[in-house]
Amino acid sequence: MKWALASNYEILLAEDRTSALRVVQQDKPNIVTLDLGLPPSPGDTREGLLALADMLQCDPQLKVLVITGQYEKENAMEAIGQGAYDFFPSL
């Protein structure tokens, strides 16, 4: 996605929840794409869902698009229920 969007948008990257929250606080993006599988447990959704909650607490108007391989319906419902703008499974 980075290469597809880079010619038209400024791309800011974060590799974990802490750096993602720092980017949201410092750079105030309009849109965030978020993978639910974040370190230290990329096979689990807890860290990604915590990142979603942290980012929306920082900026309740932020549009967070979840794009993840954690595509189970329960994950989609949880993310949308917590305030994600949309959920896209990456198969």
Side-chain angles (χ1 to χ4, degrees):
M1 288 187 60
K2 176 177 101 174
W3 297 293
L5 297 172
S7 63
N8 295 313
Y9 301 96
E10 179 184 5
I11 306 299
L12 307 168
L13 299 175
E15 295 184 11
D16 57 26
R17 178 167 52 119
T18 303
S19 58
L21 187 56
R22 186 172 34 253
V23 167
V24 168
Q25 291 170 333
Q26 291 176 354
D27 297 298
K28 304 195 181 332
N30 295 317
I31 297 173
V32 169
T33 60
L34 173 65
D35 186 355
L36 294 181
L38 296 178
S41 302
D44 192 336
T45 61
R46 283 179 287 187
E47 196 69 13
L49 291 169
L50 286 171
L52 173 63
D54 289 348
M55 288 187 278
L56 290 175
Q57 183 175 4
C58 181
D59 181 358
Q61 301 304 313
L62 182 63
K63 303 285 190 273
V64 180
L65 305 174
V66 175
I67 303 173
T68 185
Q70 309 285 349
Y71 53 82
E72 291 80 7
K73 182 178 179 179
E74 299 81 28
N75 296 331
M77 299 299 288
E78 179 72 20
I80 296 296
Q82 284 192 21
Y85 188 75
D86 212 341
F87 185 96
F88 299 95
S90 115
L91 303 174

